[in-house]
Amino acid sequence: MSKYHLDHLEQLESEAIYILREVAGQFEQPALLFSGGKDSIVLVHLALKAFRPGKFPFPLVHIDTGHNFHEALDFRDNLVKKLKEKLIVRKVEDTIKSKRLSESKGKFASRNSLQTYTLLDTIEAFGFDACIGGARRDEEKARAKERIFSVRNEFGQWDPKLQRPELWNTFNGKIHKGENVRVFPISNWTELDIWNYIHREQIELPSIYFAHEREVIEHQGQWLAVSDFVRIENGDVVVKKKVRYRTVGDMTCTAAVESTASSIKEIISEIIATKTSERGETRIDDRVSEAAMEDRKKNGYF
């Protein structure tokens, strides 16, 4: 019997690689949803371990809201160029025009809910039967309800009461025509696991994750970046703060945290000390209601 035992991160890595290979073996047209955020960057790193020296058995797909941080987009493009993998970008702006959708109004007008239309159109256009994503169970309670292989019906909708058991690492990818599966290889990872893995593997990240100076305004105790997508109103005080981002979504709904952490080790120390989840502290779109994320997921959101 071997005396070698996998440590915690090695176990998580092994499970994720196994899931990625299961996707390649069970589905005909999979895709990896990639935003340039830390979780999807870790997924790409895991895919390299799973499939190199061969090419990825799936393209990278980004549903671009048009409200992104330029640091994330620049990193996305540079990484894809370096890896020489296929990137498909579909823009929410185009969907808004073609479907004549109404955008949210107000100070922080988010396109998050409209991403669903673009994602479902992209799945239909390319015939994707599985979409791999970087969601984790510790992010938000609606995501904690999902299986690793999460089946969506022919309308792209998710029913939390109709999910398949996943016993002994057995993942059932059988679906009917028109259905698709969302796959979450790092579902069992925590934010701290992600950062410890990034540190161990020396994975490069966009600069936005590290402390930097940025003009921000305060909103309900959170710091939102000043941008072309946020409406500055009378009474708003623009200040320059040293901040970093725990999660990278749209500029309209993602808050920064005050921080001086300029290294991964310092970020890990901050995460150990915090008592708030990354989405709970930084995503204002999840504060609409307690069921905000679950409602979006039921309608086809990732």
Side-chain angles (χ1 to χ4, degrees):
M1 182 181 292
S2 174
K3 295 182 180 180
Y4 180 73
H5 298 283
L6 298 180
D7 65 25
H8 177 63
L9 288 180
E10 289 170 334
Q11 289 178 28
L12 291 174
E13 178 190 74
S14 178
E15 177 187 56
I17 289 173
Y18 170 73
I19 292 167
L20 288 170
R21 289 173 175 166
E22 280 292 296
V23 171
Q26 292 196 42
F27 298 97
E28 296 182 1
Q29 294 290 337
L32 192 155
L33 301 181
F34 183 74
S35 64
K38 68 182 187 307
D39 297 317
S40 60
I41 291 169
V42 165
L43 276 182
V44 168
H45 184 80
L46 291 165
L48 289 170
K49 290 197 169 190
F51 302 113
R52 283 294 190 258
K55 300 284 285 182
F56 290 174
F58 39 67
L60 307 182
V61 176
H62 184 204
I63 305 301
D64 184 353
T65 64
H67 291 168
N68 299 284
F69 290 90
H70 73 82
E71 294 95 334
L73 293 181
D74 290 345
F75 187 93
R76 176 201 72 185
D77 293 340
N78 290 333
L79 181 62
V80 170
K81 183 178 180 181
K82 176 183 175 181
L83 298 180
K84 297 180 181 179
E85 294 290 346
K86 182 178 181 180
L87 172 68
I88 297 170
V89 178
R90 287 297 180 268
K91 297 183 177 182
V92 175
E93 180 74 32
D94 294 336
T95 308
I96 292 171
K97 292 177 180 177
S98 64
K99 293 184 178 294
R100 298 181 180 180
L101 301 177
S102 297
E103 293 197 57
S104 298
K105 307 296 181 184
K107 188 171 187 173
F108 304 105
S110 172
R111 287 177 173 171
N112 260 5
S113 61
L114 302 182
Q115 287 184 79
T116 300
Y117 295 95
T118 309
L119 174 59
L120 295 180
D121 284 351
T122 303
I123 289 171
E124 183 178 4
F126 289 91
F128 294 136
D129 50 5
C131 292
I132 306 162
R136 308 187 322 270
R137 290 187 173 124
D138 72 321
E139 289 181 273
E140 204 273 342
K141 56 188 177 183
R143 286 183 167 167
K145 294 180 180 181
E146 281 201 281
R147 301 292 191 263
I148 290 174
F149 273 30
S150 184
V151 179
R152 300 300 200 269
N153 65 23
E154 63 271 27
F155 303 106
Q157 296 172 328
W158 171 65
D159 187 343
K161 296 180 180 180
L162 293 177
Q163 298 192 82
R164 297 169 176 175
E166 293 178 338
L167 305 175
W168 305 290
N169 287 335
T170 300
F171 304 108
N172 181 2
K174 292 182 179 179
I175 55 176
H176 297 292
K177 183 176 178 60
E179 295 178 335
N180 65 86
V181 175
R182 310 291 167 83
V183 180
F184 307 111
I186 58 173
S187 185
N188 290 327
W189 299 45
T190 66
E191 181 186 14
L192 186 58
D193 291 331
I194 290 289
W195 281 104
N196 280 324
Y197 188 74
I198 288 168
H199 180 254
R200 192 187 76 175
E201 298 291 308
Q202 298 184 337
I203 300 172
E204 293 184 17
L205 294 174
S207 60
I208 197 170
Y209 282 107
F210 302 93
H212 59 284
E213 284 196 341
R214 187 180 290 266
E215 287 190 335
V216 294
I217 58 173
E218 189 272 337
H219 173 73
Q220 297 180 355
Q222 297 178 309
W223 297 107
L224 275 293
V226 174
S227 72
D228 293 337
F229 315 121
V230 173
R231 190 176 72 205
I232 305 299
E233 298 175 340
N234 292 333
D236 286 331
V237 178
V238 177
V239 295
K240 186 170 281 190
K241 292 270 186 183
K242 198 158 192 179
V243 300
R244 70 175 182 86
Y245 286 85
R246 290 178 67 184
T247 180
V248 177
D250 279 2
M251 298 185 76
T252 54
C253 62
T254 307
V257 296
E258 290 190 72
S259 174
T260 59
S262 57
S263 70
I264 294 176
K265 281 188 175 182
E266 291 173 336
I267 291 172
I268 290 172
S269 296
E270 282 190 356
I271 294 169
I272 292 172
T274 189
K275 295 181 180 179
T276 311
S277 71
E278 59 192 284
R279 290 191 71 96
E281 185 176 19
T282 65
R283 295 299 289 270
I284 66 174
D285 55 330
D286 287 344
R287 294 187 174 188
V288 176
S289 74
E290 287 193 3
M293 171 64 82
E294 184 163 333
D295 290 341
R296 293 201 300 273
K297 290 175 77 65
K298 287 179 179 177
N299 290 325
Y301 183 75
F302 181 71

